[in-house]
């Protein structure tokens, strides 16, 4: 019962953050965006994640026409259950997300853990690295919610755009 209340309170705070960052004048990155600061912060995060998993992670920083800055993949052979962990970082700092296997492969990291696809300790390593680098992990469930913000999106997907489309998707 207390856990549900804490989750609802956390989710409300995270939605408030998403709405605060949602500025229709700045679709791909915020007004105060610095490529140099983003690169340095992302580099530190990638190093921390690699160190925590004792492996070399695949890194992609070349994401064009997107609010997403980069992607870090922890290979499955470095995790307890053998499933890849993916960390996505938005250009809208401090937003980030952690996914098991790939974004959308599971409804949430909790679902992946319940199905035995990922070890709780591995998720904790990724999330601790995010916090240590100054990022906030937004659960996939929140990002999957229908986008009802103020920015007119040029949405190229099917169905309604989501908060994921706003802060991690392509334009």
């Amino acid at each position: 019962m207390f856990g549900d209340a804490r989750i609802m309170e956390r989710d409300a705070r995270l939605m408030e953050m998403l709405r605060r960052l949602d500025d229709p004048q700045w679709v791909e990155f915020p007004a105060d965006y610095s490529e140099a600061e983003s690169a340095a912060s992302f580099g530190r995060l990638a190093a921390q994640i690699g160190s925590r998993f004792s492996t070399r992670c695949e890194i992609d920083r070349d994401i064009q026409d997107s609010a997403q800055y980069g992607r870090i993949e922890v290979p499955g052979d470095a995790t307890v259950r053998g499933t890849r962990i993916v960390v996505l970082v938005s250009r809208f700092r401090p937003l980030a997300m952690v996914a098991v296997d790939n974004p959308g492969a599971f409804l949430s990291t909790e679902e992946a853990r319940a199905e035995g696809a990922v070890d709780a300790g591995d998720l904790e390593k990724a999330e601790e690295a995010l916090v240590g680098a100054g990022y906030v992990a937004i659960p996939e469930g929140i990002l999957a919610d229908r986008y009802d913000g103020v920015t007119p999106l040029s949405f190229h997907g099917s169905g309604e755009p989501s908060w994921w489309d706003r802060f991690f998707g392509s334009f």
Side-chain angles (χ1 to χ4, degrees):
M1 180 125 144
F2 292 113
D4 289 343
R6 282 189 287 234
I7 289 171
M8 288 174 43
E9 184 179 317
R10 176 206 68 191
D11 290 357
R13 282 193 320 269
L14 293 174
M15 280 305 302
E16 182 181 315
M17 179 190 311
L18 293 177
R19 291 186 190 290
R20 194 172 51 250
L21 291 169
D22 186 23
D23 183 339
Q25 293 183 25
W26 302 95
V27 179
E28 284 190 51
F29 49 83
D32 62 350
Y33 180 74
S34 165
E35 180 67 30
E37 286 177 26
S38 293
S41 179
F42 185 81
R44 286 190 301 273
L45 175 62
Q48 283 185 27
I49 290 174
S51 175
R52 289 174 191 263
F53 284 92
S54 301
T55 193
R56 185 173 185 280
C57 297
E58 187 173 322
I59 297 169
D60 183 3
R61 295 181 204 224
D62 191 29
I63 301 171
Q64 300 294 315
D65 301 321
S66 175
Q68 185 182 143
Y69 178 82
R71 175 183 176 112
I72 302 165
E73 293 184 13
V74 178
D77 61 6
T79 67
V80 172
R81 302 268 195 252
T83 306
R84 170 178 58 183
I85 295 175
V86 177
V87 176
L88 302 178
V89 172
S90 176
R91 294 182 198 277
F92 288 83
R93 190 167 170 87
L95 303 181
M97 70 166 289
V98 176
V100 177
D101 188 35
N102 223 2
F106 293 91
L107 296 175
S108 66
T109 54
E110 291 83 16
E111 179 192 57
R113 196 172 69 231
E115 290 186 18
V118 69
D119 178 71
D122 284 342
L123 287 175
E124 193 173 298
K125 287 178 191 178
E127 290 169 1
E128 285 175 351
L130 283 169
V131 170
Y135 291 97
V136 174
I138 309 293
E140 277 188 90
I142 291 175
L143 292 171
D145 285 348
R146 185 180 66 81
Y147 176 74
D148 61 356
V150 297
T151 301
L153 298 180
S154 299
F155 181 63
H156 302 293
S158 61
E160 296 285 325
S162 67
W163 285 94
W164 189 91
D165 295 308
R166 170 64 181 98
F167 289 113
F168 294 91
S170 297
F171 301 108

